[in-house]
């Protein structure tokens, strides 16, 4: 007679149920659906997960309470990495969209290569030294460029050999790849004008993972399906803005949606520094990003359609912002986490839901009947 509370943690999403569909369908038919029906209460981490539960015709009450983080005691650092770092943290698994990310990174890299090559200039007094290619390598020096180089860091445990598949695709696309353990990356950050395009660190946990978040200028989670995406709040808690897809429930990244998004074709003052979006990012239409309003509207990232092109567009927009503009977005993210995603607040919600199941009374406002 003890009430059962069932928390599916994303295993009832359509994407998850399609994987190994025959085996999962058989298990649901034989016993798992009966187990789910026996629950007195179901726990969802977001409204989208409630829809997944109802799609299976499960009619029990559902408590909607997110996952949380412990707010860091220290203020987020002032990031000054060279290269700037775009970070992925999660399982290295096909579900996470890493092949899309590598392809999008290759598109972004094409402009980086041109900038790096344009920074190669002849040293004075060596113009008469020539090779078959037209210039003697010893006559070239790498000069400072206005372009700020970026590096993609992929941190997480490999599953089913997916890391090798990602590396193969990256090399096929002409991207340079390196393996650097997280402790080495943290203790000896690179300071190269043209660093490796992608670094794999392997699994990261605890203090090393927190340190990577604090180093990163941007978190990227290009996932196909996620019931919540706890890495999003982990990054936001460390003042790191986030790019993620509509496979997650993270529309909140857009802040007060529309306050800094203008319809494509709007007149923008020349020299204003606004960025023209090239695809659907964050809304259902093209937009022009207005960086100066980021601190005012609560925006802390990008919530984009799944796929290579929206991801490449979001990366370009994030990377062209100044460090100050990205810091403003990260600060907004920290405020969002403190307001809604700390463990004490979430524990109070679940405690009230348990008490309601055991003792009755008024239905808590976050329980869906």
């Amino acid at each position: 007679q003890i009430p059962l509370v069932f928390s599916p943690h994303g295993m009832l999403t359509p994407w998850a149920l399609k994987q190994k569909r025959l085996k999962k369908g058989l298990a649901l038919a034989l016993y798992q659906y009966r187990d789910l029906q026996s629950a007195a209460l179901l726990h969802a981490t977001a409204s989208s997960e409630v829809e997944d539960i109802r799609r299976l015709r499960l009619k029990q009450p559902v408590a909607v309470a997110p996952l949380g983080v412990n707010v860091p005691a220290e203020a987020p650092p002032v990031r000054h990495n060279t290269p700037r770092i775009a970070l992925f943290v999660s399982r290295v698994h096909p579900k996470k969209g890493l092949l899309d990310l590598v392809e999008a990174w290759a598109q972004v890299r094409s402009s980086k290569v041109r900038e790096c090559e344009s920074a190669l200039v002849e040293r004075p007094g060596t113009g008469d030294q020539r090779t078959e290619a037209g210039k003697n390598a010893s006559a070239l020096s790498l000069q400072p460029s206005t372009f700020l180089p970026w590096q993609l860091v992929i941190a997480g445990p490999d599953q089913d050999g997916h890391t090798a598949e990602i590396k193969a695709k990256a090399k096929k696309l002409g991207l340079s790849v390196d393996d650097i353990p997280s402790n080495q990356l943290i203790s000896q950050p690179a300071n190269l004008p043209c660093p490796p395009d992608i670094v794999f660190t392997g699994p990261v946990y605890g203090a090393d993972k927190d340190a990577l978040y604090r180093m990163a200028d941007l978190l990227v989670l290009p996932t196909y399906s996620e019931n919540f995406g706890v890495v999003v709040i982990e990054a936001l808690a460390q003042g790191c803005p986030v790019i993620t897809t509509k496979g997650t429930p993270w529309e909140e990244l857009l802040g007060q949606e529309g306050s800094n998004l203008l319809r494509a074709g709007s007149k923008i003052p020349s020299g204003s520094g606004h960025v023209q979006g090239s695809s659907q990012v964050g809304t259902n239409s093209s937009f022009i990003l207005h960086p100066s309003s980021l601190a005012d509207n609560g925006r802390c990232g990008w919530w984009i359609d799944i796929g290579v092109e929206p991801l490449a567009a979001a990366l370009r927009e994030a990377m062209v912002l100044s460090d100050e503009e990205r810091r403003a977005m990260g600060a907004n993210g920290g405020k969002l986490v403190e307001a809604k995603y700390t463990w004490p607040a979430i524990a109070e919600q679940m405690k009230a839901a348990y008490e309601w199941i055991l003792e009755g009374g008024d239905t808590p406002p976050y329980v869906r009947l």
Side-chain angles (χ1 to χ4, degrees):
Q1 301 302 312
I2 298 174
L4 171 65
V5 179
F6 207 110
S7 185
H9 282 279
M11 292 298 99
L12 302 182
T13 65
W15 192 95
L17 291 174
K18 287 178 182 176
Q19 313 308 308
K20 301 180 180 177
R21 186 171 184 170
L22 181 61
K23 182 185 293 186
K24 291 182 179 178
L26 183 62
L28 278 170
L30 290 177
Y31 62 92
Q32 287 185 338
Y33 193 74
R34 184 177 66 250
D35 292 344
L36 289 165
Q37 286 182 312
S38 71
L41 177 72
L42 296 165
H43 167 221
T45 55
S47 294
S48 59
E49 197 171 12
V50 179
E51 296 172 10
D52 299 333
I53 290 168
R54 296 297 186 231
R55 194 177 291 113
L56 290 178
R57 299 181 181 178
L58 295 167
K59 299 179 180 180
Q60 299 98 315
V62 182
V64 183
L67 302 179
V69 291
N70 295 313
V71 176
E74 300 176 9
V78 177
R79 294 162 167 85
H80 46 74
N81 307 301
T82 301
R84 302 297 188 263
I85 293 175
L87 175 67
F88 168 91
V89 178
S90 195
R91 294 177 298 142
V92 180
H93 184 278
K95 168 186 173 181
K96 302 297 181 177
L98 283 164
L99 293 177
D100 286 351
L101 178 55
V102 166
E103 191 168 339
W105 198 253
Q107 291 186 20
V108 174
R109 173 190 179 276
S110 63
S111 59
K112 185 186 86 168
V113 169
R114 286 195 296 271
E115 289 284 354
C116 287
E117 289 176 347
S118 68
L120 286 169
V121 298
E122 287 188 68
R123 295 183 185 133
T126 58
D128 56 340
Q129 302 178 35
R130 292 289 184 268
T131 65
E132 291 182 4
K135 294 224 188 322
N136 187 329
S138 65
L140 299 175
S141 62
L142 190 62
Q143 298 298 319
S145 168
T146 57
F147 179 83
L148 291 175
W150 281 74
Q151 186 174 69
L152 174 61
V153 175
I154 296 176
D158 177 53
Q159 290 202 326
D160 301 324
H162 193 50
T163 296
E165 186 179 359
I166 296 165
K167 288 181 177 179
K169 180 164 186 176
K171 291 174 182 177
K172 185 177 180 180
L173 291 169
L175 297 170
S176 55
V177 176
D178 200 358
D179 291 303
I180 302 177
S182 58
N183 57 356
Q184 181 180 336
L185 190 68
I186 294 162
S187 62
Q188 299 176 342
N191 192 22
L192 302 171
C194 289
D197 294 293
I198 304 176
V199 167
F200 290 83
T201 71
V204 289
Y205 305 104
D208 279 355
K209 184 167 71 167
D210 289 343
L212 280 181
Y213 284 132
R214 293 173 70 82
M215 284 179 62
D217 300 273
L218 185 66
L219 179 83
V220 188
L221 180 65
T223 182
Y224 291 113
S225 177
E226 214 72 42
N227 68 299
F228 185 72
V230 71
V231 296
V232 172
I233 53 172
E234 289 177 346
L236 294 177
Q238 298 288 357
C240 181
V242 173
I243 294 174
T244 192
T245 68
K246 293 179 182 177
T248 74
W250 278 100
E251 187 175 0
E252 281 181 297
L253 292 174
L254 301 178
Q256 299 169 11
E257 185 176 6
S259 61
N260 75 327
L261 301 177
L262 304 175
R263 296 292 178 187
S266 299
K267 291 185 178 180
I268 300 297
S270 60
S272 64
H274 300 177
V275 182
Q276 177 77 43
S278 60
S279 65
Q280 295 179 351
V281 180
T283 66
N284 291 325
S285 63
S286 297
F287 68 87
I288 296 171
L289 183 61
H290 192 307
S292 62
S293 67
L294 290 175
D296 299 329
N297 70 4
R299 181 170 176 162
C300 49
W302 289 256
W303 191 60
I304 62 172
D305 292 332
I306 295 170
V308 174
E309 294 305 324
L311 184 54
L315 285 167
R316 290 188 188 101
E317 288 155 5
M319 292 160 67
V320 80
L321 296 178
S322 69
D323 292 339
E324 290 75 17
E325 288 160 346
R326 282 191 299 274
R327 277 197 292 270
M329 296 180 82
N332 288 338
K335 293 174 185 175
L336 175 63
V337 169
E338 288 189 19
K340 294 184 62 176
Y341 297 105
T342 60
W343 281 123
I346 295 163
E348 285 296 326
Q349 291 181 357
M350 291 306 299
K351 178 174 178 286
Y354 296 152
E355 289 173 343
W356 175 70
I357 286 295
L358 290 169
E359 302 169 9
D362 294 337
T363 305
Y366 39 83
V367 171
R368 309 277 181 88
L369 298 176

